[in-house]
Amino acid sequence: SGLGSFLLENMSDHWPKKLVQTYSVFPANSERGGEANVVVQPYNSLLTMKRLTLCADCVVVLDNNALYRIAEDTFKGSNPGQTQVNKLVATVMAASTATLRYPGYMNNGLEDLIASLIPLPRTHFLMTGYTPLSLDPIGRVGGQGAVSRVRKTSVLDVITRLLNPKNNMVSVTTHGGAYMSIQCIIQGDVDPSEVHQSLVRLQSRDLRFIPWGPAGCQVALSKKSPYIETAHRVSGLMLTNHTSISNLFKRTLTQYKKMMANQAFVANYKKFDPFKENLDEFKDSEQVVESLIKDYNDAATEGFLDMKDQSS
C-alpha cells in the first residue's frame, strides 16, 4: 500500500495511455501459509485494492495461502519456505510473458492478452495456475534434474490439471460464479492438432461461463526458453477471469470492517498524510472495493448488461 501504490498512481498520471499489468501477492489470512505478521494488514490491503482497481489495467492475483498450499502438496517430503514460494511466483511471471518474448500467432502484445481476458475494464483481476510443478536440487522450478510427481504431460493432461482447483494460486473455489474468460499458454513441442482435439474433449466438462457474452477457453502456443532446460515436454499456464475472485476481496473487506469498527491502530495512520485531517481515504477505498465486488457478483447473472444500461 506504500511504494507499490505510489508507483501505480504516478505511472497512471504520467503515462495514462500505457497499459499496466501487475503481479500482486495477497497476504495470508489463515493458518495455512501463516498468520500475517503485520497487524494492520487489512488496512494496507484495502488501500492497495483501491490503486489496483483504479490505476492498473490487469492484475494477476496470487495469495500466500494458496502458494504455500501448492508448495506443500507439490513438494512432499520437503519444507517449502519463502524461496520456493517466490520461485512459483517467478515461474508464473515468466510463463505469462512467454508469448511476448517468443512471439507466435497469438498474444504478441500485452493489448492482445488483456483484450481476450478482460471483457470489462474494472473486472481485470485474474487467477492463475501452472503445471507441472517441480523443483530441482537447487530450488529452481522445473529445472534439469527436477523431481516431479507428474508423469503425463500431453496437452489434454496439462489443460485438465490447470482446470483442477488444486492448481489455483488463489484460495477461492470456482464451483460458484462463472468464468468470464479462460486462456491457457502451452509451452513446448506441441502439434496444433493435439490442441484442437483437447479443446473438443474439454467441451464435455461442466464449466459455467457468463451468460451475457461470448466466453470460452483459448489456447496460445509458445516456445520454451532455449536457455533453460526443463524436465517436461509440455508445460502450461492458465489465466482465468472468474467472478468468484470477489470472495477474496470480501475477506479483506470483512477483516477491515472489524478492525475499523473498533478504531484499532488507526492512531498510527493519523500521524501521516492523507490521514491527518480525516479518514476519507479509507472510506473511498472501502467504496471502491465494495463496487468492485458488486461488479463481479452482477457479472455472473443473466441480466448483467441490462443492469449496466440502467445504471448508466
Side-chain angles (χ1 to χ4, degrees), residues 48-65:
T48 303
M49 279 293 303
K50 175 185 175 181
R51 276 74 185 181
L52 291 176
T53 303
L54 300 180
C55 301
D57 299 289
C58 179
V59 179
V60 179
V61 179
L62 309 104
D63 77 82
N64 278 329
N65 290 332

Side-chain angles (χ1 to χ4, degrees), residues 37-81:
N37 55 8
V38 180
V39 70
V40 293
Q41 170 187 295
Y43 293 152
N44 295 340
S45 296
L46 190 84
L47 294 172
T48 303
M49 279 293 303
K50 175 185 175 181
R51 276 74 185 181
L52 291 176
T53 303
L54 300 180
C55 301
D57 299 289
C58 179
V59 179
V60 179
V61 179
L62 309 104
D63 77 82
N64 278 329
N65 290 332
L67 291 174
Y68 274 93
R69 171 183 55 77
I70 291 174
E72 291 172 3
D73 293 344
T74 303
F75 315 129
K76 291 187 181 294
S78 62
N79 185 22

Side-chain angles (χ1 to χ4, degrees), residues 163-213:
L163 291 171
N164 189 327
K166 291 183 179 180
N167 287 317
N168 188 0
M169 294 188 179
V170 181
S171 55
V172 298
T173 178
T174 56
H175 294 306
Y179 285 100
M180 303 175 76
S181 57
I182 302 176
Q183 181 163 122
C184 296
I185 299 176
I186 305 297
Q187 290 182 279
D189 185 14
V190 178
D191 187 345
S193 63
E194 189 180 358
V195 175
H196 177 71
Q197 294 172 3
S198 300
L199 291 177
V200 172
R201 294 276 298 275
L202 286 173
Q203 290 179 357
S204 61
R205 293 180 63 95
D206 185 19
L207 298 176
R208 185 192 173 204
F209 290 94
I210 51 176
W212 47 267

